[in-house]
Amino acid sequence: SAVISQKPSRDICQRGTSLTIQCQVDSQVTMMFWYRQQPGQSLTLIATANQGSEATYESGFVIDKFPISRPNLTFSTLTVSNMSPEDSSIYLCSVDPRTARDEQFFGPGTRLTVL
Amino acid sequence: KNQVEQSPQSLIILEGKNCTLQCNYTVSPFSNLRWYKQDTGRGPVSLTIMTFSENTKSNGRYTATLDADTKQSSLHITASQLSDSASYICVVTPRNTDKLIFGTGTRLQVFP
């Protein structure tokens, strides 16, 4: 299994500001993903974080709003830029270690509230 | 369109009772179907993973079934405990993709 940590675990921010969320994995993984979970909703994929290249964004998500870095195989950051109250969500990092079990592991999430 | 629907949306049961959660999907073809448990304020944790050719998988008091013909899966929880209170999410992986299709989840509350 993969152990994933995220920082911060929660934050309250003012609109118009930006927040960078960190994701650290205890082993090298090829596939790393960022998800958003809005209140009462299921998870929505924001982007796939690619090591050494630009992230691949899903429809409805753009790099200017959610810039992502992936400097190595154990670490990634997601920035939520120019925040508005609609960005209040849980943001989760996920990895797929590509084992035979084909399992995807999730971090504990970052709970963001934008005032 | 690939969709995963779960029922009921929420469920309240008494400690010690059994319950069954349902998942209907339209994803086809698919590689696997997973059930995750998500405690409040936590990330999802995998309970079971079934490939398209499997029809049952157990993990302790959790038993998942899969009927690929009717595109239905269920998660049965036996002898529920207070710690089972959580959201349970059905997730399907379409074949030849890394992207997961998430259901909206069932929120289970177990009361003493």
Side-chain angles (χ1 to χ4, degrees):
Chain A
S1 66
V3 178
I4 305 168
S5 60
Q6 286 185 232
K7 288 183 184 179
S9 58
R10 58 177 61 220
D11 207 341
I12 300 173
C13 302
Q14 297 295 323
R15 68 169 67 211
T17 63
S18 297
L19 176 72
T20 295
I21 302 167
Q22 298 180 3
C23 176
Q24 180 75 53
V25 190
D26 68 342
S27 58
Q28 292 186 340
V29 291
T30 304
M31 306 298 293
M32 189 177 275
F33 308 93
W34 285 99
Y35 288 87
R36 180 174 73 182
Q37 187 175 28
Q38 295 179 302
Q41 304 292 315
S42 194
L43 282 74
T44 301
L45 180 63
I46 297 172
T48 302
N50 301 310
Q51 195 266 329
S53 64
E54 200 169 276
T56 305
Y57 289 85
E58 296 301 304
S59 176
F61 298 96
V62 294
I63 188 171
D64 290 344
K65 176 67 175 177
F66 297 102
I68 288 171
S69 78
R70 180 90 192 271
N72 56 52
L73 293 176
T74 63
F75 186 79
S76 178
T77 66
L78 168 74
T79 299
V80 186
S81 303
N82 188 24
M83 289 184 285
S84 67
E86 292 72 35
D87 294 321
S88 297
S89 290
I90 298 174
Y91 291 86
L92 298 117
C93 170
S94 171
V95 303
D96 181 350
R98 291 299 197 199
T99 65
R101 268 176 59 84
D102 193 21
E103 184 165 359
Q104 197 166 111
F105 297 92
F106 289 85
T110 295
R111 182 179 290 272
L112 171 62
T113 302
V114 184
L115 303 178
Chain B
K1 181 181 178 183
N2 287 332
Q3 288 186 310
V4 178
E5 296 182 349
Q6 293 186 241
S7 61
Q9 272 192 331
S10 62
L11 182 62
I12 297 174
I13 61 173
L14 294 177
E15 186 178 14
K17 297 297 185 183
N18 304 334
C19 67
T20 300
L21 314 180
Q22 300 291 343
C23 173
N24 296 330
Y25 61 92
T26 60
V27 183
S28 182
F30 71 99
S31 296
N32 56 61
L33 184 146
R34 317 164 193 223
W35 282 92
Y36 281 90
K37 177 186 179 188
Q38 185 176 21
D39 292 309
T40 301
R42 302 281 191 178
V45 174
S46 179
L47 294 175
T48 63
I49 300 175
M50 290 180 289
T51 66
F52 63 90
S53 60
E54 295 179 294
N55 51 34
T56 188
K57 185 70 68 77
S58 290
N59 178 3
R61 294 180 297 103
Y62 302 102
T63 299
T65 64
L66 174 63
D67 186 334
D69 291 332
T70 61
K71 296 185 172 58
Q72 295 180 324
S73 177
S74 65
L75 180 69
H76 186 74
I77 304 175
T78 304
S80 61
Q81 300 176 358
L82 299 179
S83 59
D84 292 331
S85 295
S87 289
Y88 292 84
I89 306 172
C90 176
V91 184
V92 181
T93 306
R95 197 174 295 173
N96 301 323
T97 179
D98 297 313
K99 297 177 185 176
L100 309 183
I101 310 294
F102 289 83
T104 51
T106 292
R107 178 168 169 74
L108 174 66
Q109 292 178 276
V110 181
F111 285 108

